[in-house]
Amino acid sequence: WSSDVCSSDLEVLTAQGRWREALTITSAATDVFDRSGVVPGSIFRMAATGMRGVAYFGQGNWREARNAYVELRTAAASDSATI
């Protein structure tokens, strides 16, 4: 996950309403982070989680969007350096 490259790519995808592609990228990113042992409070992992929420929101999948935002809030609260 290169924050500069992926975030700009995701901005383009979301601006174009390409929610499925945005969701694929953000889900892959969080999966890689999880398998690599990155802590949930990592700013890069939280950015991917937040964008996953945006992608679900864009699709109208309110339940999954909410779940992503709850996951993001929990991750932020679990890391005192993030707060």
Side-chain angles (χ1 to χ4, degrees):
W1 174 272
S2 168
S3 62
D4 292 336
V5 173
C6 279
S7 64
S8 62
D9 291 345
L10 287 170
E11 287 173 11
V12 169
L13 292 175
T14 56
Q16 294 176 347
R18 295 165 60 186
W19 308 113
R20 184 177 296 162
E21 292 167 86
L23 183 58
T24 298
I25 291 171
T26 57
S27 295
T30 53
D31 183 51
V32 167
F33 286 139
D34 291 345
R35 291 195 286 156
S36 299
V38 172
V39 297
S42 159
I43 192 71
F44 298 110
R45 191 191 184 290
M46 289 194 313
T49 302
M51 288 303 294
R52 193 173 78 236
V54 168
Y56 278 128
F57 185 84
Q59 289 180 330
N61 189 337
W62 315 124
R63 180 170 295 175
E64 290 302 324
R66 180 186 181 282
N67 290 342
Y69 292 128
V70 167
E71 179 183 339
L72 180 60
R73 183 179 62 205
T74 302
S78 71
D79 184 4
S80 61
T82 304
I83 302 170

